Structures are given as structure tokens and as C-alpha cells.
Amino acid sequence: MRLKVDGKEMEAREGALLLELVQVPTLCHHPHTETRGLCRLCLVEVDGRLSPACATEAREGMEVWSDTPGLRALRKTLLEWLLLTTDLSLAPELQALALALEAEPGRWGEVPGRKGREAIEDNPFFLRDYAKCVNCRRCVDACGDGIMGVYALTLTGRGLLAHPTTPLDRPLPETPCVFCGNCVQVCPTGALRPLTEV
């Protein structure tokens, strides 16, 4: 099929995601977990409407824009809110992107967030530091349908305070967790990290 991306004609295979055709930042997307289009960093303009590139299939005749002033402003705002609510000290790629987009989180004032949450060390293998969690849900998906199918991680809370946890908030050794480390591998911000790195 043929479509236009950033003003240029392109060919794409049937079923290709727009993410395969454009260069945009991603956060919640990971090739080994289910794509949900949650973080919105990869939004592109498709025929005048916003669509997540990680969850939108290419279509014949589609016109896609991946880097407009409006999209840059949107990505900048998203990163500002992440910086306000979350400790991104172990996420150098997000910090670099925020710098490139000239993010100014201070312009929003104070908002409730995850910063200051105590890290949970309830097993001998890895730390759960939800102050650094951006709620991308990669870990939950890796533990569940995406890779392992053991469902030792789930979500709790709503909005800015939503975060992964264990069922009934039990210590990890009391869940079906087999400590495979897949959740640690897919975490983009160091919210889950090996104790050997702490």
C-alpha cells in the first residue's frame, strides 16, 4: 500500500504499524509486550487527527505527520508532567528528550505524584521503586499476557496515582512471581531494578 509520511510518498506492508514508518519517541511501547498506546509520546497526526503510532496500522492513502509544532508542544507537556510527578533520575533517554523539547515542568506548579514513595525491597532479587514508575504498564504486561502469564503484578489507584503493585498488595514472594526478571528488563525508568544495581 502507499501512503504519505511527512510529505513523502512511502510504501508499507499490510498490517504495518505507523511506528515502523516514522521516527517518534516512545515510552509504553516495547516489542515484547502488548502495545496499548498509553503514554501518548508517539502520537502522530493522521488525516488531521491524533493517533498513537504504536497502535495505528498504516492504511492506503493515509497522510501522516510525525513532527509538527503541535506534536512537539504535546510531547513537551507530557514530559513536563512526567518530570513533575515522577523521579526520572534513572531514565536518561526521557531526560534527554525533555531537554531537547525545552521542557519547563515548573510552569505547572505543584501536582500530586509518585515522588517520595518508599521503595519496596521484599525479595532478594529486585527493588520496586514506584517513585520512578511512569505507569507504562510494560511490567504488568510482561508478567501477564505479554511474556510470562503468571500475573504477579497488577495495577492499583487511578490517574496520576495509579501504579503497578502485587495482587492484594502482598509481598512479592507471596505471589505467583517466579523472579524471571522480565518485568525488570522491560522497565524503562529503573522503577524495577536488580538489587545488585542499587
Side-chain angles (χ1 to χ4, degrees):
M1 73 178 75
R2 295 193 65 81
L3 67 161
K4 193 178 279 188
V5 177
D6 293 326
K8 297 178 183 174
E9 293 280 343
M10 292 186 73
E11 282 193 32
R13 64 175 174 79
E14 196 74 33
L17 293 174
L18 292 181
L19 191 58
E20 300 170 40
L21 307 174
V22 298
Q23 293 289 320
V24 292
T26 61
L27 180 54
C28 68
H29 173 76
H30 189 281
H32 298 299
T33 61
E34 186 176 340
T35 293
R36 298 177 192 271
L38 297 172
C39 73
R40 316 311 273 179
L41 273 181
C42 72
L43 283 178
V44 294
E45 291 179 11
V46 178
D47 298 329
R49 301 183 65 171
L50 296 176
S51 296
C54 69
T56 304
E57 289 188 4
R59 292 189 318 269
E60 178 72 32
M62 185 181 262
E63 187 168 4
V64 181
W65 294 94
S66 67
D67 187 26
T68 66
L71 289 170
R72 285 193 294 275
L74 177 66
R75 291 173 187 142
K76 174 181 172 178
T77 301
L78 289 169
L79 286 165
E80 288 171 342
W81 276 77
L82 284 179
L83 286 163
L84 277 173
T85 59
T86 312
D87 175 2
L88 298 180
S89 60
L90 297 181
E93 290 179 8
L94 288 177
Q95 291 180 37
L97 182 59
L99 188 64
L101 292 172
E102 301 177 348
E104 305 168 64
R107 69 186 175 119
W108 298 102
E110 290 191 27
V111 296
R114 302 174 187 90
K115 286 183 178 177
R117 288 184 57 120
E118 291 290 325
I120 302 169
E121 186 178 338
D122 61 2
N123 68 84
F125 304 108
F126 60 89
L127 188 72
R128 294 186 289 145
D129 186 354
Y130 295 134
K132 294 177 173 56
C133 176
V134 292
N135 205 20
C136 67
R137 304 180 194 192
R138 286 184 185 183
C139 59
V140 174
D141 193 61
C143 188
D145 294 335
I147 301 175
M148 287 303 292
V150 296
Y151 306 96
L153 294 175
T154 185
L155 293 171
T156 189
R158 303 180 68 161
L160 290 173
L161 300 179
H163 64 88
T165 187
T166 58
L168 302 176
D169 206 24
R170 303 297 302 168
L172 209 50
E174 297 178 17
T175 72
C177 180
V178 295
F179 300 100
C180 64
N182 283 307
C183 57
V184 176
Q185 292 295 316
V186 299
C187 179
T189 61
L192 300 174
R193 59 187 185 277
L195 284 172
T196 54
E197 294 179 7
V198 176

